[in-house]
Amino acid sequence: MTPSPTSVELRPLAIGEIIDRAATFWRAHLKPLFVLCLGFDLLNYIAVKAFTVAMTRTVGVLPGLGKVPAGTDPTQALTQSGIMLGLMLVLYVFLVWNFWIATTAAARYVIPARLGEPVRPSDGLRRAASRLGTLTATYLLSILWSVGVTALLCLPGSVVMGLGVVAAVTGKGSGGSTALSIALIIIGAIVLGLGALAAVLWYFLRFMLLPPVLAMEDVGAWAAFKRSGALLKGRVEPGFMGRGTVRAMVLSTVVGGILIAVSLVSGLPAWIVRLAYGGNLLDPAAQAAIPQALLVPAELLQVVGQSFFTPLSFVVSAFFYVDMRVRREGLDLERRIATAEPVTPSP
């Protein structure tokens, strides 16, 4: 029996309380959340599998990843690498887009249930489908915004690597200049990698509340883009941990650590098959020779295992959205007023 809205306690929660209540909710609604998430995870798996097949057939043996046949044209090798990077970019864009859809559908189920309202998983799917156009437009806005942030964060590493290349060209033949250029290129590559990692983390942190906003609020793409940032911006309580971005970062780190551990454990059968039959993990030709009759069941086992635990991240983001609205907008008072029975004056 679904509790009435008046029986639901809404108040500002500490970070530990959000995680604890989200985990309790996830365990209580494990079956519908698993069913809701499994379809999206299977779609991701099909996309990754199609990418692997396309890369193997189109690119073949890639430079740096396997043995390049003698006499390979450098232009052809560069073209193959460009094709691979293009396919990886398309795959990444699709996976993140599908992740936003899944999070929106789950949020439409989790938040009403958290507020004590009757809801079904199909309601979340219908909401995600109805908001698909707005979600896609907002997603494109987020990509454009992240391109500028990524360029800014990767600029220091690119500059250091550029200085190393310049030192290598201008100081050709000098041992000291060669050592300096190699050091600059290595340091620049490390800084560039850290900048790219920071850009990815910033992206998911900045738009953590975007799916719940799209799931619960009838706003357009630009309004949802600004709304998700406004809910995170600023401070909600005294101290360093009172900043919205810091709270989101802690929640994302805890849940991300759990999901990474689950992915590693559930992916052990697939890795065992790859090592046993493929040998070199960096050789696409060897990996392509693995019997799919063994690899596919092992990979599907990993997908099913992830589908049990991935909804935990959806629940945490939904609970965090409710908590931020309670803190910033008095959602708890608003619902108390809305559900309060009118007082009839006595004659």
Side-chain angles (χ1 to χ4, degrees):
M1 181 178 179
T2 305
S4 62
T6 56
S7 64
V8 176
E9 177 192 10
L10 284 181
R11 61 176 178 82
L13 300 176
I15 294 179
E17 289 181 302
I18 294 177
I19 297 175
D20 179 69
R21 296 195 178 197
T24 301
F25 182 95
W26 166 69
R27 290 194 300 267
H29 299 79
L30 184 58
K31 182 178 179 180
L33 288 173
F34 168 75
V35 173
L36 190 62
C37 184
L38 181 61
F40 292 101
D41 284 347
L42 287 174
L43 190 59
N44 284 342
Y45 172 72
I46 294 172
V48 173
K49 204 67 177 177
F51 163 78
T52 305
V53 172
M55 186 178 69
T56 302
R57 293 183 177 180
T58 305
V59 179
V61 181
L62 298 176
L65 296 179
K67 296 181 179 179
V68 181
T72 301
D73 185 6
T75 304
Q76 180 183 0
L78 184 61
T79 303
Q80 290 179 339
S81 299
I83 293 174
M84 184 193 71
L85 292 176
L87 291 174
M88 291 179 62
L89 180 61
V90 171
L91 176 66
Y92 176 79
V93 170
F94 172 79
L95 292 179
V96 177
W97 177 73
N98 191 48
F99 173 79
W100 289 140
I101 298 176
T103 311
T104 301
R108 186 64 176 187
Y109 171 78
V110 173
I111 295 175
R114 167 75 177 92
L115 299 178
E117 300 173 356
V119 65
R120 295 174 298 176
S122 58
D123 297 336
L125 293 175
R126 282 195 293 267
R127 176 65 175 183
S130 66
R131 301 285 283 166
L132 192 59
T134 303
L135 186 148
T136 303
T138 311
Y139 177 52
L140 295 177
L141 286 173
S142 70
I143 290 179
L144 293 176
W145 188 260
S146 65
V147 167
V149 175
T150 302
L152 182 63
L153 292 175
C154 293
L155 181 61
S158 301
V159 171
V160 175
M161 288 187 66
L163 293 176
V165 173
V166 171
V169 173
T170 57
K172 191 173 183 180
S174 174
S177 299
T178 302
L180 176 62
S181 63
I182 293 176
L184 287 175
I185 291 175
I186 294 175
I187 295 173
I190 295 174
V191 176
L192 181 63
L194 293 176
L197 178 61
V200 173
L201 296 177
W202 170 88
Y203 178 84
F204 286 99
L205 182 65
R206 163 61 178 81
F207 298 104
M208 180 180 180
L209 296 181
L210 179 59
V213 168
L214 291 171
M216 300 305 300
E217 303 180 23
D218 296 323
V219 294
W222 180 244
F225 179 87
K226 295 190 297 181
R227 170 77 168 151
S228 60
L231 286 173
L232 279 176
K233 188 177 180 181
R235 189 188 300 273
V236 294
E237 62 182 27
F240 176 74
M241 297 300 295
R243 295 183 176 275
T245 52
V246 174
R247 295 170 64 84
M249 181 176 61
V250 173
L251 291 173
S252 300
T253 302
V254 172
V255 176
I258 295 173
L259 295 182
I260 291 174
V262 170
S263 178
L264 292 176
V265 173
S266 61
L268 284 177
W271 287 113
I272 293 173
V273 172
R274 291 189 183 100
L275 289 172
Y277 290 89
N280 184 8
L281 296 176
L282 298 180
D283 187 354
Q287 293 297 308
I290 299 176
Q292 294 299 311
L294 294 176
L295 184 59
V296 170
E299 291 174 336
L300 289 177
L301 180 62
Q302 181 180 8
V303 172
V304 172
Q306 290 176 341
S307 298
F308 275 107
F309 290 88
T310 300
L312 179 60
S313 65
F314 302 159
V315 177
V316 169
S317 65
F319 273 50
F320 184 51
Y321 166 81
V322 174
D323 183 70
M324 294 302 288
R325 288 200 59 186
V326 168
R327 291 175 176 272
R328 292 190 178 278
E329 303 171 355
L331 179 63
D332 52 339
L333 300 178
E334 176 184 330
R335 291 187 62 82
R336 289 178 188 175
I337 295 174
T339 57
E341 295 183 359
V343 178
T344 303
S346 59

